[in-house]
PDB file of all heavy atoms in Angstrom:
ATOM      1  N   ASP A 145      22.189  25.260  15.763  1.00 92.00           N
ATOM      2  CA  ASP A 145      21.212  24.600  14.990  1.00 92.00           C
ATOM      3  C   ASP A 145      20.724  25.509  13.935  1.00 92.00           C
ATOM      4  O   ASP A 145      20.918  26.752  13.983  1.00 92.00           O
ATOM      5  CB  ASP A 145      19.982  24.300  15.933  1.00 92.00           C
ATOM      6  CG  ASP A 145      20.376  23.153  16.925  1.00 92.00           C
ATOM      7  OD1 ASP A 145      20.958  22.122  16.483  1.00 92.00           O
ATOM      8  OD2 ASP A 145      20.054  23.348  18.150  1.00 92.00           O
ATOM      9  N   PRO A 146      19.939  25.022  12.923  1.00 93.00           N
ATOM     10  CA  PRO A 146      19.364  25.901  11.885  1.00 93.00           C
ATOM     11  C   PRO A 146      18.600  27.049  12.473  1.00 93.00           C
ATOM     12  O   PRO A 146      17.857  26.822  13.526  1.00 93.00           O
ATOM     13  CB  PRO A 146      18.509  24.920  11.091  1.00 93.00           C
ATOM     14  CG  PRO A 146      19.129  23.615  11.265  1.00 93.00           C
ATOM     15  CD  PRO A 146      19.628  23.622  12.643  1.00 93.00           C
ATOM     16  N   ASN A 147      18.783  28.206  11.947  1.00 94.00           N
ATOM     17  CA  ASN A 147      18.135  29.466  12.397  1.00 94.00           C
ATOM     18  C   ASN A 147      18.779  30.097  13.629  1.00 94.00           C
ATOM     19  O   ASN A 147      18.355  31.151  14.020  1.00 94.00           O
ATOM     20  CB  ASN A 147      16.638  29.302  12.554  1.00 94.00           C
ATOM     21  CG  ASN A 147      15.890  29.034  11.262  1.00 94.00           C
ATOM     22  OD1 ASN A 147      16.245  29.701  10.266  1.00 94.00           O
ATOM     23  ND2 ASN A 147      14.998  28.022  11.286  1.00 94.00           N
ATOM     24  N   ASP A 148      19.740  29.377  14.303  1.00 95.00           N
ATOM     25  CA  ASP A 148      20.517  30.035  15.260  1.00 95.00           C
ATOM     26  C   ASP A 148      21.511  30.986  14.563  1.00 95.00           C
ATOM     27  O   ASP A 148      21.566  31.025  13.331  1.00 95.00           O
ATOM     28  CB  ASP A 148      21.376  29.023  16.067  1.00 95.00           C
ATOM     29  CG  ASP A 148      20.479  28.212  17.011  1.00 95.00           C
ATOM     30  OD1 ASP A 148      19.362  28.644  17.283  1.00 95.00           O
ATOM     31  OD2 ASP A 148      21.017  27.163  17.488  1.00 95.00           O
ATOM     32  N   ALA A 149      22.269  31.759  15.311  1.00 96.00           N
ATOM     33  CA  ALA A 149      23.213  32.715  14.657  1.00 96.00           C
ATOM     34  C   ALA A 149      24.614  32.737  15.299  1.00 96.00           C
ATOM     35  O   ALA A 149      24.771  32.349  16.481  1.00 96.00           O
ATOM     36  CB  ALA A 149      22.628  34.135  14.760  1.00 96.00           C
ATOM     37  N   LEU A 150      25.574  33.064  14.458  1.00 96.00           N
ATOM     38  CA  LEU A 150      26.926  33.386  14.935  1.00 96.00           C
ATOM     39  C   LEU A 150      27.095  34.887  14.693  1.00 96.00           C
ATOM     40  O   LEU A 150      26.729  35.417  13.624  1.00 96.00           O
ATOM     41  CB  LEU A 150      27.958  32.635  14.105  1.00 96.00           C
ATOM     42  CG  LEU A 150      28.016  31.089  14.345  1.00 96.00           C
ATOM     43  CD1 LEU A 150      29.049  30.479  13.380  1.00 96.00           C
ATOM     44  CD2 LEU A 150      28.254  30.677  15.752  1.00 96.00           C
ATOM     45  N   LEU A 151      27.749  35.574  15.639  1.00 98.00           N
ATOM     46  CA  LEU A 151      28.092  36.942  15.496  1.00 98.00           C
ATOM     47  C   LEU A 151      29.501  37.034  14.828  1.00 98.00           C
ATOM     48  O   LEU A 151      30.439  36.427  15.304  1.00 98.00           O
ATOM     49  CB  LEU A 151      28.095  37.671  16.848  1.00 98.00           C
ATOM     50  CG  LEU A 151      26.840  37.560  17.694  1.00 98.00           C
ATOM     51  CD1 LEU A 151      27.030  38.458  18.997  1.00 98.00           C
ATOM     52  CD2 LEU A 151      25.624  38.027  16.942  1.00 98.00           C
ATOM     53  N   VAL A 152      29.576  37.783  13.775  1.00 97.00           N
ATOM     54  CA  VAL A 152      30.873  37.877  12.990  1.00 97.00           C
ATOM     55  C   VAL A 152      31.126  39.371  12.762  1.00 97.00           C
ATOM     56  O   VAL A 152      30.323  40.109  12.181  1.00 97.00           O
ATOM     57  CB  VAL A 152      30.705  37.155  11.638  1.00 97.00           C
ATOM     58  CG1 VAL A 152      32.108  37.192  10.916  1.00 97.00           C
ATOM     59  CG2 VAL A 152      30.316  35.696  11.894  1.00 97.00           C
ATOM     60  N   PRO A 153      32.332  39.834  13.168  1.00 97.00           N
ATOM     61  CA  PRO A 153      32.666  41.292  12.956  1.00 97.00           C
ATOM     62  C   PRO A 153      32.911  41.563  11.503  1.00 97.00           C
ATOM     63  O   PRO A 153      33.463  40.734  10.693  1.00 97.00           O
ATOM     64  CB  PRO A 153      33.979  41.443  13.714  1.00 97.00           C
ATOM     65  CG  PRO A 153      34.547  40.061  13.863  1.00 97.00           C
ATOM     66  CD  PRO A 153      33.414  39.112  13.895  1.00 97.00           C
ATOM     67  N   THR A 154      32.412  42.736  11.037  1.00 96.00           N
ATOM     68  CA  THR A 154      32.638  43.200   9.692  1.00 96.00           C
ATOM     69  C   THR A 154      33.811  44.153   9.623  1.00 96.00           C
ATOM     70  O   THR A 154      34.097  44.851  10.641  1.00 96.00           O
ATOM     71  CB  THR A 154      31.355  43.895   9.161  1.00 96.00           C
ATOM     72  OG1 THR A 154      31.158  45.149   9.955  1.00 96.00           O
ATOM     73  CG2 THR A 154      30.181  43.031   9.253  1.00 96.00           C
ATOM     74  N   PRO A 155      34.532  44.217   8.471  1.00 96.00           N
ATOM     75  CA  PRO A 155      34.270  43.323   7.310  1.00 96.00           C
ATOM     76  C   PRO A 155      34.779  41.958   7.556  1.00 96.00           C
ATOM     77  O   PRO A 155      35.718  41.762   8.249  1.00 96.00           O
ATOM     78  CB  PRO A 155      35.098  44.110   6.240  1.00 96.00           C
ATOM     79  CG  PRO A 155      36.161  44.787   6.981  1.00 96.00           C
ATOM     80  CD  PRO A 155      35.574  45.207   8.288  1.00 96.00           C
ATOM     81  N   TYR A 156      34.124  40.992   6.863  1.00 93.00           N
ATOM     82  CA  TYR A 156      34.601  39.577   6.982  1.00 93.00           C
ATOM     83  C   TYR A 156      34.745  38.898   5.689  1.00 93.00           C
ATOM     84  O   TYR A 156      34.272  39.375   4.676  1.00 93.00           O
ATOM     85  CB  TYR A 156      33.619  38.781   7.971  1.00 93.00           C
ATOM     86  CG  TYR A 156      32.246  38.566   7.447  1.00 93.00           C
ATOM     87  CD1 TYR A 156      31.889  37.673   6.443  1.00 93.00           C
ATOM     88  CD2 TYR A 156      31.160  39.244   8.109  1.00 93.00           C
ATOM     89  CE1 TYR A 156      30.575  37.453   6.051  1.00 93.00           C
ATOM     90  CE2 TYR A 156      29.852  39.007   7.740  1.00 93.00           C
ATOM     91  CZ  TYR A 156      29.543  38.143   6.707  1.00 93.00           C
ATOM     92  OH  TYR A 156      28.227  37.900   6.369  1.00 93.00           O
ATOM     93  N   TYR A 157      35.506  37.841   5.656  1.00 90.00           N
ATOM     94  CA  TYR A 157      35.820  37.024   4.488  1.00 90.00           C
ATOM     95  C   TYR A 157      34.489  36.627   3.792  1.00 90.00           C
ATOM     96  O   TYR A 157      33.604  35.973   4.381  1.00 90.00           O
ATOM     97  CB  TYR A 157      36.590  35.773   4.957  1.00 90.00           C
ATOM     98  CG  TYR A 157      36.719  34.607   3.925  1.00 90.00           C
ATOM     99  CD1 TYR A 157      37.188  34.914   2.640  1.00 90.00           C
ATOM    100  CD2 TYR A 157      36.355  33.381   4.302  1.00 90.00           C
ATOM    101  CE1 TYR A 157      37.330  33.825   1.688  1.00 90.00           C
ATOM    102  CE2 TYR A 157      36.451  32.301   3.401  1.00 90.00           C
ATOM    103  CZ  TYR A 157      36.932  32.544   2.129  1.00 90.00           C
ATOM    104  OH  TYR A 157      37.041  31.507   1.233  1.00 90.00           O
ATOM    105  N   PRO A 158      34.368  36.955   2.503  1.00 90.00           N
ATOM    106  CA  PRO A 158      33.093  36.720   1.781  1.00 90.00           C
ATOM    107  C   PRO A 158      32.721  35.271   1.797  1.00 90.00           C
ATOM    108  O   PRO A 158      31.427  34.930   1.746  1.00 90.00           O
ATOM    109  CB  PRO A 158      33.363  37.243   0.370  1.00 90.00           C
ATOM    110  CG  PRO A 158      34.486  38.186   0.501  1.00 90.00           C
ATOM    111  CD  PRO A 158      35.321  37.697   1.656  1.00 90.00           C
ATOM    112  N   GLY A 159      33.686  34.358   1.835  1.00 88.00           N
ATOM    113  CA  GLY A 159      33.395  32.906   1.790  1.00 88.00           C
ATOM    114  C   GLY A 159      32.618  32.412   2.986  1.00 88.00           C
ATOM    115  O   GLY A 159      32.087  31.295   2.979  1.00 88.00           O
ATOM    116  N   PHE A 160      32.621  33.177   4.113  1.00 90.00           N
ATOM    117  CA  PHE A 160      31.880  32.760   5.282  1.00 90.00           C
ATOM    118  C   PHE A 160      30.390  32.638   4.992  1.00 90.00           C
ATOM    119  O   PHE A 160      29.678  31.943   5.707  1.00 90.00           O
ATOM    120  CB  PHE A 160      32.078  33.767   6.423  1.00 90.00           C
ATOM    121  CG  PHE A 160      33.396  33.577   7.190  1.00 90.00           C
ATOM    122  CD1 PHE A 160      33.958  34.541   7.921  1.00 90.00           C
ATOM    123  CD2 PHE A 160      34.099  32.339   7.078  1.00 90.00           C
ATOM    124  CE1 PHE A 160      35.177  34.369   8.626  1.00 90.00           C
ATOM    125  CE2 PHE A 160      35.278  32.118   7.770  1.00 90.00           C
ATOM    126  CZ  PHE A 160      35.849  33.170   8.530  1.00 90.00           C
ATOM    127  N   ASP A 161      29.845  33.502   4.057  1.00 89.00           N
ATOM    128  CA  ASP A 161      28.467  33.360   3.750  1.00 89.00           C
ATOM    129  C   ASP A 161      28.144  31.983   3.245  1.00 89.00           C
ATOM    130  O   ASP A 161      27.031  31.467   3.468  1.00 89.00           O
ATOM    131  CB  ASP A 161      28.098  34.366   2.608  1.00 89.00           C
ATOM    132  CG  ASP A 161      28.030  35.814   3.186  1.00 89.00           C
ATOM    133  OD1 ASP A 161      27.714  36.002   4.386  1.00 89.00           O
ATOM    134  OD2 ASP A 161      28.414  36.720   2.477  1.00 89.00           O
ATOM    135  N   ARG A 162      29.052  31.335   2.539  1.00 88.00           N
ATOM    136  CA  ARG A 162      28.945  29.930   2.145  1.00 88.00           C
ATOM    137  C   ARG A 162      29.264  28.988   3.236  1.00 88.00           C
ATOM    138  O   ARG A 162      28.516  28.049   3.542  1.00 88.00           O
ATOM    139  CB  ARG A 162      29.834  29.749   0.945  1.00 88.00           C
ATOM    140  CG  ARG A 162      30.008  28.296   0.449  1.00 88.00           C
ATOM    141  CD  ARG A 162      31.298  28.113  -0.342  1.00 88.00           C
ATOM    142  NE  ARG A 162      32.480  28.476   0.467  1.00 88.00           N
ATOM    143  CZ  ARG A 162      33.636  28.826  -0.096  1.00 88.00           C
ATOM    144  NH1 ARG A 162      33.787  28.989  -1.431  1.00 88.00           N
ATOM    145  NH2 ARG A 162      34.658  29.094   0.691  1.00 88.00           N
TER     146      ARG A 162
END
Side-chain angles (χ1 to χ4, degrees):
D145 291 314
N147 294 317
D148 288 345
L150 295 176
L151 306 183
V152 182
T154 65
Y156 63 75
Y157 165 55
F160 280 160
D161 289 326
R162 169 200 62 202

